[in-house]
Every structure is written in structure tokens, then in C-alpha cells.
Amino acid sequence: MSYNWNWSIFFEPAPGGTGTYFDMLLRGLWLTIQTGVFAWIIALVLGSIIGVLRTLPSKTAYWVGFAYVEFFRNMPLLVQLFLWFFVLPELLPRSWGLWLKQMPHAPFYTAAVGIGLFMSARVAVQLAAGIASLPRGQKQAATALGLTTFQAYRYVLLPIAFRIIMPPLTSEFLNTIKNTAVAITIGLIELTGQARSMQEFSFQVFEAFTAATVMYLLINIIVVTGMRYLERSLAIPGYITGK
Amino acid sequence: MIEIRHVDKWYGPTFQALKACTTSVAKGEVVVVCGPSGSGKSTLIKCVNALEPFQGGEIILDGIKVNDPKTDLPKLRARVGMVFQHFELFPHLKIIENLCLAQEKVLGRSHDAAVAKAEMLLERVGLKEHARKYPAELSGGQQQRVAIARALAMDPIAMLFDEPTSALDPEMISEVLDVMVDLAREGMTMMVVTHEMGFARKVAHRVIFMDRGEIVEDAKKEEFFGSPRSDRAQKFLSKILSH
């Protein structure tokens, strides 16, 4: 293979006059982080609500949760992003659709919300499993003390369930960040997008994607470390993960 | 205080867990409920504070109908203490927080008042020095004493005990029974599902014997232990008293 390695390419000015190729990748990294964090917040909030619905005694609540989860987890993420970005504006009334299309940073918001919804179904399933794994007596004890269903969840069931599902939740956070790469297909120039444009401008494909790989690794190592720290600080002495 | 009239309960369409159960517990009375496993004793006691729904009959608690849809159940439950077989302390909360949670969130007591009450009760069950520990750091007997204190912190008008010593190692049973005996002698209204016939002999006023969802015998303690009328109660007694 004849390939002209050039690791100093990162410090050469990129076309467009906005700094070096390295600056370009950093901008992509920053957008990846923003998209990932925004999507994760949506996934956590909606996933928690839907996860709780799936554990309530009410049949209606269960079916709402069931339909939501099956809708969002049974379609490829790529298809969902296309739906929100290309199809939804055409289905809405003309003026709404126009507003959506003209919205500044449309790819960013679509990606964050789309990935957030997709991941929320996964968070919901895990939280529901976490709650279901608690002894039935916990809810009964909370109820017997006079706590309402909302209070029982808020003060007893959720604090324990979230501790139990912390390890799989860490994986979901990582998946959320990695899934932002799919947003390149709706025109979001995040880290993968910037690596690709660097490749197109400079033809240094290996350097570009090596740098992107290292950057993805770095953010995810930071997330894993942070989550592990959180897990430890929330550990209950003598209980499950606690020591 | 507790009126149970013709209560029927089905699990599913075929299995009847309670068959026309009728009994009552007067103010200050201690009633022990015993019977073979699967006889419906735990189910009956859980119907009293509506932890289990039932389909026929009615239960009236301090003048309030439990199975009236208009009844504010959380408010009613807050007035009846309940102690479970598996303690059901909240594992993520310190002992003192276990005692304060419902006082503050349900009764609306100030944190200071709740802590004062909790410390007084922990002192009473001999566990004041464990206030800052987590439940998993205590022995079973200690956890159950905490659970009793947690129920008492709500200033209940009656206490329900669902096999409070069945999950305990033999050497821990007496420390829990001692607390319950004290409580009974102070005039607490108590309904106790238990196989501890020594406890029944010591403090019960009446003994109810259940079998296959029916109340087979409901007699004064002296009559029950002297000459149980039914065969089934006689057999049961001979089995559990023979060792």
C-alpha cells in the first residue's frame, strides 16, 4: 500500500480559513458532546416517565408505556432520524413544516431529539426492570406508611431502582454518544462529519479517523469514569453494590 | 376499632383466598391470627389497610369504610401501623431517615420534630446508637425492631403485624417479641399474624384460627388453648405445640 503518512496535517490550516484541521476536529467533538448530552437528558427524563408507567398497576399506563417503547425501539435509528428530518415537515400543516425546515440548527435539534427518543425507550425498559426487581414488600411498606403512589416512587422505589441499573445505564449513556455519529446523514457536522471533511480536503484518511477514534475513546472514558464515581458515591453500605 | 364483615377475596376467577371472613378487633384488644400456610391470614390482614383489594363484604376502620372509593386511603393507612415479615426497611435510607420519611412527607411534621420522635422510639426499642447506620448493617432482629419503631412514629391507632418473626433466626425472635409484648401491655390495638403461641398465651385477648380462606375459630385465648372446638384447629395446635 502506498500511502503518504503525514501526522503534521493536523497543524496545517484547513480550507475555509477557520483554523487548522485540528481545530476543525475539535469543533466536531464539541458538537458531538453537545448532541450527546442533550439527547441523554431527553432519554433519561422520558425514559424514566415511561419506565414508571410500565410498572404501575393501571392497564392504560402499562399500554401507553408498551406502545411507546415498541414504537421507538423497533425502528432503526437511521430511519427514525430520516422520519423526523425529511418526512415530518411534509406531514405537518404547511406553515409548521416550513417553520421546521427554516429552523436554525435544524440538524442539531433533530438529532438530539431523535436520538433522545430512541434511547429513551431503552432507558425505560431498564428502569422498569430495575423497579420490578425490587421486593414487592417495598412498595407495600411505603404504601402502608401512607405515602401516595407518587411519593412511594419518588422517595423509595426510584432511588433504589436507579442505583441497581447504574451499570447498564452507563452503557446507554455511551451508546447515546456513539449514536450521534448517525446524525451525519441529516447534515450534522459532528466529529465523524468533521473527520470525513478532513479526509476529503486533505486525503489523509487514516490520520483523520485515527484522531476521531481517539477523541471518541477519550469522551467515553471520561463518561465511564464519571459514572463509576457516581455509582460509588451512591452505593449503600451493605446493600448490592455497597461494601 | 377494626370491623371485618363477610369479606370475600378472589385471586383470578377461580381461587378464593378469603371466604366470608367476619371478625372484629376492639380498641386496646390484641388478636392473634394463626393457621397453616396458605390459609389466608396474611391476605386478611393486608385487606385491613387496603394493601390487598377484596371483592365482597366490607372493612371498617375506626368508623371509616376501607373499601369505599371515596376514602382517602393514604390518609387512612397513615393511621395504621404495619410490620412485615421481611421488615421492608428502605435500604437506601439510614435508620433515622427510615423513621422520619413518612412523618415528614405524610404527616407534615418538621424535620426536627420527626428526628426527636424517631430518636425517642429508637431509644425505646434499644437501638439509638444505630440511628446513623443503614438497614443492611443491622441484624434481622434489629431491623424488625426498627420497622416497629418506624410504624409507631406515625402515632398509629392500631398496629398490624404480618408474621413479624417468621424470617428471623431463633435467637432474635425474643427481642422482637419483647417489644411487641410491651406494646400490647401499654394497650395498643394489635392484630398479629403469627405462629408464636407463647406470645399469644402471654398477651392475646383472642385467637383467630384460619384454614383455606375461612375463619374456622374465633375464641377467647383461654377457650382456644383450653379446648379448641374444631378438629382442624386441634390438629394445627398439636402440630405446632408438639416440639
Side-chain angles (χ1 to χ4, degrees):
Chain A
M1 184 179 76
S2 72
Y3 181 78
N4 183 23
W5 288 94
N6 176 14
W7 289 103
S8 59
I9 182 75
F10 297 115
F11 305 105
E12 287 170 23
T18 48
T20 60
Y21 281 110
F22 189 65
D23 293 331
M24 216 168 105
L25 290 175
L26 278 185
R27 276 202 305 279
L29 175 67
W30 178 231
L31 197 53
T32 289
I33 293 174
Q34 283 177 305
T35 316
V37 168
F38 195 177
W40 181 238
I41 292 170
I42 293 174
L44 259 190
V45 173
L46 290 180
S48 302
I49 296 169
I50 300 297
V52 166
L53 284 186
R54 278 170 69 106
T55 62
L56 290 175
S58 148
K59 279 249 157 62
T60 324
Y62 177 82
W63 280 106
V64 170
F66 176 81
Y68 181 97
V69 165
E70 298 312 329
F71 181 81
F72 285 109
R73 77 169 170 185
N74 288 337
M75 240 189 302
L77 175 58
L78 186 64
V79 174
Q80 292 191 31
L81 286 189
F82 282 3
L83 265 180
W84 301 137
F85 195 69
F86 298 115
V87 182
L88 183 69
E90 307 302 329
L91 295 179
L92 290 174
R94 240 183 84 79
S95 57
W96 295 18
L98 212 62
W99 176 80
L100 262 185
K101 286 186 214 168
Q102 290 168 347
M103 183 171 65
H105 310 299
F108 170 74
Y109 289 114
T110 311
V113 173
I115 296 167
L117 290 174
F118 177 76
M119 295 306 296
S120 71
R122 302 177 53 100
V123 171
V125 171
Q126 282 169 1
L127 182 63
I131 295 171
S133 77
L134 301 178
R136 247 166 59 90
Q138 287 284 306
K139 171 111 188 272
Q140 288 190 338
T143 309
L145 281 166
L147 296 174
T148 60
T149 302
F150 178 82
Q151 288 175 320
Y153 273 89
R154 161 71 183 80
Y155 297 112
V156 179
L157 303 180
L158 288 178
I160 314 173
F162 269 115
R163 282 176 169 90
I164 294 175
I165 63 163
M166 200 66 95
L169 224 45
T170 305
S171 304
E172 295 308 336
F173 193 179
L174 300 179
N175 282 338
T176 308
I177 293 170
K178 288 180 287 184
N179 278 340
T180 56
V182 176
I184 190 178
T185 54
I186 55 169
L188 188 73
I189 311 299
E190 37 64 74
L191 183 50
T192 307
Q194 293 288 20
R196 263 193 62 187
S197 18
M198 174 171 168
Q199 168 215 333
E200 275 158 16
F201 289 131
S202 68
F203 304 107
Q204 302 300 136
V205 55
F206 288 106
E207 290 85 343
F209 279 95
T210 306
T213 307
V214 170
M215 284 177 178
Y216 276 117
L217 266 176
L218 277 179
I219 348 173
N220 285 344
I221 286 170
I222 292 169
V223 168
V224 169
T225 317
M227 289 293 280
R228 182 129 342 132
Y229 177 78
L230 187 66
E231 210 177 304
R232 273 206 205 121
S233 66
L234 290 176
I236 307 160
Y239 187 77
I240 333 172
T241 52
K243 295 225 173 69
Chain B
M1 178 72 70
I2 304 171
E3 287 287 332
I4 300 172
R5 292 180 194 144
H6 302 289
V7 168
D8 291 311
K9 178 177 174 65
W10 280 270
Y11 283 116
T14 49
F15 181 70
Q16 189 167 5
L18 295 176
K19 295 172 192 160
C21 292
T22 299
T23 189
S24 66
V25 182
K27 190 170 181 337
E29 199 175 22
V30 176
V31 173
V32 161
V33 184
C34 63
S37 65
S39 60
K41 8 182 237 310
S42 289
T43 308
L44 181 67
I45 204 173
K46 282 180 180 161
C47 286
V48 172
N49 62 352
L51 283 187
E52 291 279 359
F54 50 93
Q55 287 78 31
E58 60 178 10
I59 295 181
I60 293 166
L61 195 60
D62 196 31
I64 299 163
K65 193 171 163 189
V66 171
N67 52 324
D68 184 336
K70 277 177 271 174
T71 300
D72 182 351
L73 281 178
K75 203 173 158 194
L76 186 65
R77 290 183 183 120
R79 300 175 62 208
V80 186
M82 183 147 200
V83 175
F84 296 84
Q85 184 176 1
H86 296 286
F87 333 134
E88 305 302 350
L89 296 179
F90 306 134
H92 62 301
L93 299 178
K94 289 181 181 144
I95 299 304
I96 190 97
E97 294 165 340
N98 261 279
L99 269 73
C100 289
L101 178 68
Q103 288 191 68
E104 291 174 36
K105 304 301 174 194
V106 177
L107 302 181
R109 283 184 189 149
S110 73
H111 182 65
D112 291 344
V115 168
K117 177 102 193 167
E119 282 179 342
M120 190 264 282
L121 284 163
L122 284 176
E123 173 113 60
R124 176 177 169 174
V125 298
L127 294 167
K128 200 175 176 197
E129 68 275 24
H130 297 289
R132 312 285 151 190
K133 287 188 182 166
Y134 285 91
E137 297 175 291
L138 268 55
S139 74
Q142 291 172 328
Q143 289 192 47
Q144 193 62 300
R145 277 145 66 198
V146 171
I148 295 173
R150 179 175 71 178
L152 291 176
M154 305 296 283
D155 293 321
I157 54 170
M159 288 281 285
L160 307 172
F161 292 84
D162 183 15
E163 304 208 33
T165 57
S166 306
L168 293 175
D169 290 336
E171 77 269 21
M172 294 172 183
I173 291 178
S174 66
E175 66 185 62
V176 171
L177 288 181
D178 286 346
V179 173
M180 291 169 61
V181 167
D182 285 346
L183 209 54
R185 294 210 167 126
E186 283 164 27
M188 175 61 80
T189 308
M190 291 164 69
M191 193 166 171
V192 186
V193 173
T194 187
H195 292 148
E196 294 295 331
M197 289 302 128
F199 171 81
R201 280 222 166 97
K202 209 187 263 180
V203 291
H205 298 103
R206 277 181 23 242
V207 179
I208 292 172
F209 174 76
M210 291 185 72
D211 193 16
R212 287 175 226 152
E214 285 172 284
I215 294 183
V216 179
E217 191 133 348
D218 182 349
K220 290 221 166 69
K221 168 178 64 178
E222 298 77 16
E223 290 170 29
F224 183 79
F225 287 114
S227 55
R229 277 159 291 187
S230 65
D231 275 0
R232 280 188 278 179
Q234 267 172 14
K235 266 189 203 144
F236 176 76
L237 272 181
S238 70
K239 270 184 202 151
I240 63 168
L241 294 177
S242 64
H243 298 290

